[in-house]
Amino acid sequence: MIKQITVISGKGGTGKTTLTAAFATLACNALIADCDVDAANLHLILDPVLTDRLDFYGMKVAAIDRDKCCACGLCREGCRFGAITEGFVIDIHACEGCGVCELVCPEGAIVMKDHKAGEIYRSITRFGPFVHARLGIGEDTGGKLVSMVRKNAMEMAKMHGNELIIIDGPPGIGCSVIASISGVDLVFIVTEPSVSAIHDLERVIEVADHFRIKAVVCINRYDVNAEKTAHIEEYCRKKGVDVAGKLPLSDVPTKAMLEGRTVIEYKDDVFAGRVQDIWYRVHKELI
Amino acid sequence: MKIAVASGKGGTGKTTVAVNMAVSLGNAQLLDCDVEEPNCNLFLGHPLQKVRDVGIQIPSISRDKCNSCRKCAEACRFNALAVLPTGIMLFPQLCHGCGACSLVCPQDAISETTHVIGTVERSASSARRVELYQGVLNIGEPMASPVIRALKQYIDDSRTVILDSPPGTSCPVISSITGTDYCILVTEPTPFGLHDLLLAVELVKELQIPYGVIINRHGTGDDSVEGYCYENNIPVLMKIPYDRRITELYSEGIPFVLQMPHWKDQFLNLFIKLQVLTGRY
Ligand code: SF4
Ligand code: SF4
């Protein structure tokens, strides 16, 4: 059985990708998948060698044949997403691809066309195989692309005989997050002691709960606010969620990033040691 | 003037900029469009009241009229309808509320009901000079954009409006920033920050919204973001230095302009700069 762990945070910028990259260094025989398709960053550290590139088609979008269009306006009336302008032009950012306009058009002037919404990349890195993706600007099929990344990751993991898939998840609690945690064995939540991060942590724990997925928490930059850190620990205890570890405020993650390395590869044994301890606890949860 | 605050990468300081600017201006509307994780009010602490539920119209299928012809399930492009031996089943989380199913049903078996996916809330007291509106997406609901669109109906065009956008460059960001007069992109001076800034720049260019950059945690990382901005003639509107005090105030939920008043002037300056850049001054 291939195990899967997703690293999420609710709030962005808490150190999710830094920790995913560190876990990639520490895990043996893992595949890494970047499901933060909206702002993928992991490749900047993993330095992948591309082996395969796949087009991702999202929802189709409507296209109006000007020659057939009689400007009756029925499509515009029928479209609930305001995607058809006064001049009968489709706003491709607003179009959700529902096909209602095609259904109501009496002239058969509207067809639903394939629409490339992003790309998926398969590659090899110094830590093992890696799948990442790029969602086109303004697309709304993030959830679907995340599912495709995970499907590719699963196929590749089987091919390479990997035992673990480490997933870097997106921020938030919406469709991309739901798609990146569904069916995984463990959700690893990176938070920090600030009012915003705590608020988002609570929402994200609820999402994990909602889908009945076990979660553990890591408190990053715990020393910025001792009181809030205590609050998080207390909250997690009440919720029955383990705190897998705490990391201090440090310039190591940024320095390592500037060198294109993970914090484990960077020459700072103290910080790396702390991350290692967290990884051992997480690893225990997984097996 | 409507000013959007956005960023490709999460956690760069969008909310910090939006809130501190609103607090510095005093008289402004602040719209928290990050409906998946609305955080602005953590810094304002306003008592809130609900102004409306946000729903989408989902089908409700009459078992008596339905003869399981499957036409609705075939018409639904979101796979929200499944034909089971017991009849048609709807997965409300997948439904986009497009109405295709009711259009095609030959038995007239489909009517529509409202499925609530979130709410819009506002500051309960209008005595406050910063008037906050926020959208909240319910847990387990995937679609943020309808909540953002509902929220934006409360924009008061006669006032200065600051919109705190969600992170990224996907659909909810477009819903948040379309129609604004200027977009501030907040970034941090790191390789991640630069990479995601490039994506955000692509987005605002496509939407043809004038934009500039605020560099947060200036002094950490490197100068690649600044270099990029200068090379591409993108105005760097402000640099907020990395300062442990700012981090600590942030962690407590205190807008830092309240404790570091010289920053208030900086934000007022910023506002004037934006007025100049948009030809309003
Ligand atoms: S496909 Fe649906 S969303 Fe797109 S233009 Fe037609 S009716 Fe509107
Ligand atoms: S309203 Fe549209 S999305 Fe919802 S079930 Fe009907 S066809 Fe599918």
Side-chain angles (χ1 to χ4, degrees):
Chain A
M1 258 287 276
I2 300 174
K3 298 273 181 177
Q4 299 184 77
I5 173 174
T6 304
V7 182
I8 52 170
S9 63
K11 180 177 150 32
T14 58
K16 189 169 55 62
T17 302
T18 297
L19 278 164
T20 310
F23 289 172
T25 322
L26 293 167
C28 52
N29 199 14
L31 177 142
I32 304 112
D34 193 346
C35 285
D36 189 357
V37 295
D38 209 5
N41 284 143
L42 207 45
H43 63 283
L44 297 175
I45 293 185
L46 299 190
D47 191 21
V49 178
L50 198 66
T51 56
D52 211 355
R53 177 199 304 260
L54 302 138
D55 285 341
F56 165 68
Y57 290 91
M59 294 302 296
K60 296 189 176 198
V61 296
I64 301 184
D65 181 340
R66 303 237 127 231
D67 297 336
K68 291 190 186 160
C69 172
C70 65
C72 66
L74 285 174
C75 57
R76 208 169 54 223
E77 250 167 62
C79 177
R80 296 192 177 175
F81 308 103
I84 304 174
T85 65
E86 296 276 328
F88 298 102
V89 177
I90 307 285
D91 173 350
I92 61 157
H93 290 313
C95 175
E96 306 223 351
C98 67
V100 163
C101 50
E102 185 189 30
L103 284 172
V104 299
C105 177
E107 304 291 330
I110 300 184
V111 279
M112 302 302 294
K113 290 220 165 117
D114 280 334
H115 167 69
K116 183 176 159 183
E119 281 183 345
I120 297 168
Y121 314 98
R122 290 182 174 207
S123 49
I124 297 297
T125 72
R126 60 191 186 281
F127 309 121
F130 175 52
V131 183
H132 71 295
R134 178 165 175 197
L135 184 66
I137 299 288
E139 296 293 340
D140 75 341
T141 39
K144 208 170 157 192
L145 180 53
V146 166
S147 305
M148 290 296 292
V149 169
R150 289 191 56 195
K151 196 168 147 248
N152 273 276
M154 193 44 97
E155 274 171 29
M156 234 177 137
K158 281 185 184 146
M159 207 165 77
H160 287 263
N162 299 119
E163 288 156 4
L164 175 67
I165 298 177
I166 303 174
I167 300 167
D168 191 6
I173 60 161
C175 65
S176 306
V177 173
I178 294 171
S180 70
I181 67 170
S182 71
V184 303
D185 300 281
L186 187 67
V187 166
F188 182 84
I189 309 172
V190 187
T191 189
E192 61 180 28
S194 70
V195 286
S196 314
I198 293 172
H199 171 259
D200 297 356
L201 170 71
E202 292 172 2
R203 303 248 296 165
V204 134
I205 286 181
E206 270 184 66
V207 175
D209 244 18
H210 185 92
F211 293 99
R212 296 197 179 78
I213 304 167
K214 188 175 167 60
V216 295
V217 165
C218 163
I219 310 173
N220 197 5
R221 307 178 193 121
Y222 75 91
D223 49 343
V224 165
N225 192 322
E227 202 186 304
K228 294 270 184 288
T229 294
H231 173 97
I232 296 174
E233 288 172 312
E234 177 61 20
Y235 176 80
C236 289
R237 207 180 47 75
K238 270 199 209 127
K239 281 275 171 184
V241 173
D242 275 345
V243 175
K246 296 187 275 188
L247 293 169
L249 177 69
S250 159
D251 56 1
V252 169
T254 307
K255 283 186 174 157
M257 190 200 297
L258 290 172
E259 291 183 11
R261 300 181 200 213
T262 69
V263 291
I264 305 298
E265 295 171 301
Y266 189 77
K267 48 186 187 318
D268 184 300
D269 297 339
V270 181
F271 196 85
R274 282 178 169 261
V275 176
Q276 238 155 27
D277 289 344
I278 294 173
W279 173 245
Y280 292 140
R281 290 191 62 174
V282 168
H283 197 245
K284 240 198 250 148
E285 288 287 339
L286 279 168
I287 51 174
Chain B
M1 174 155 73
K2 297 187 279 280
I3 305 160
V5 185
S7 77
K9 182 177 173 337
T12 55
K14 271 185 313 299
T15 304
T16 301
V17 168
V19 170
N20 281 290
M21 181 149 81
V23 169
S24 302
L25 289 174
N27 181 9
Q29 243 190 346
L30 178 60
L31 260 68
D32 194 342
C33 298
D34 190 359
V35 304
E36 291 185 39
E37 306 284 13
N39 281 344
C40 286
N41 198 40
L42 296 172
F43 295 84
L44 296 175
H46 288 185
L48 297 176
Q49 70 187 37
K50 176 163 113 183
V51 284
R52 65 168 283 194
D53 281 323
V54 182
I56 57 172
Q57 294 304 110
I58 63 166
S60 136
I61 298 166
S62 146
R63 279 178 189 263
D64 299 336
K65 290 187 187 167
C66 170
N67 65 358
S68 294
C69 74
R70 347 174 58 124
K71 290 224 165 66
C72 56
E74 281 159 20
C76 177
R77 290 175 183 258
F78 305 100
N79 301 318
L81 294 168
V83 191
L84 304 178
T86 47
I88 307 284
M89 185 169 148
L90 172 77
F91 297 92
Q93 259 78 19
L94 296 178
C95 175
H96 284 225
C98 70
C101 49
S102 54
L103 259 175
V104 298
C105 177
Q107 303 296 321
D108 203 14
I110 303 183
S111 55
E112 293 192 336
T113 53
T114 304
H115 169 63
V116 174
I117 62 166
T119 48
V120 175
E121 301 170 340
R122 56 157 291 175
S123 319
S125 145
S126 50
R128 308 240 184 197
R129 293 177 68 213
V130 173
E131 184 190 26
L132 175 80
Y133 279 90
Q134 69 172 20
V136 185
L137 181 69
N138 290 347
I139 300 285
E141 287 298 337
M143 275 186 296
S145 291
V147 181
I148 298 169
R149 285 194 290 263
L151 171 65
K152 284 178 74 179
Q153 285 166 1
Y154 294 92
I155 287 181
D156 178 351
D157 276 314
S158 67
R159 302 183 68 182
T160 299
V161 186
I162 298 166
L163 299 95
D164 186 12
S165 148
T169 52
S170 65
C171 192
V173 182
I174 296 219
S175 305
S176 305
I177 71 176
T178 15
T180 57
D181 302 300
Y182 197 89
C183 187
I184 298 175
L185 302 174
V186 185
T187 187
E188 50 181 41
T190 63
F192 286 5
L194 176 62
H195 176 265
D196 297 343
L197 174 65
L198 299 184
L199 298 175
V201 165
E202 235 184 278
L203 172 73
V204 286
K205 272 191 182 159
E206 192 172 325
L207 294 177
Q208 302 183 336
I209 301 172
Y211 63 98
V213 167
I214 289 186
I215 301 174
N216 193 13
R217 300 190 195 103
H218 183 66
T220 57
D222 59 11
D223 48 18
S224 54
V225 166
E226 229 176 315
Y228 163 78
C229 290
Y230 288 129
E231 268 163 41
N232 292 280
N233 288 319
I234 300 169
V236 175
L237 303 164
M238 181 187 255
K239 293 176 200 166
I240 304 174
Y242 173 73
D243 181 337
R244 182 151 179 145
R245 181 100 190 281
I246 293 180
T247 310
E248 280 167 3
L249 288 169
Y250 176 83
S251 78
E252 290 289 346
I254 300 167
F256 70 87
V257 291
L258 294 180
Q259 304 271 326
M260 304 162 88
H262 60 284
W263 273 99
K264 199 167 169 170
D265 299 341
Q266 303 258 12
F267 277 99
L268 291 174
N269 252 323
L270 169 68
F271 182 67
I272 295 172
K273 225 184 264 178
L274 297 184
Q275 283 182 309
V276 172
L277 285 167
T278 54
R280 278 156 219 269
Y281 193 77

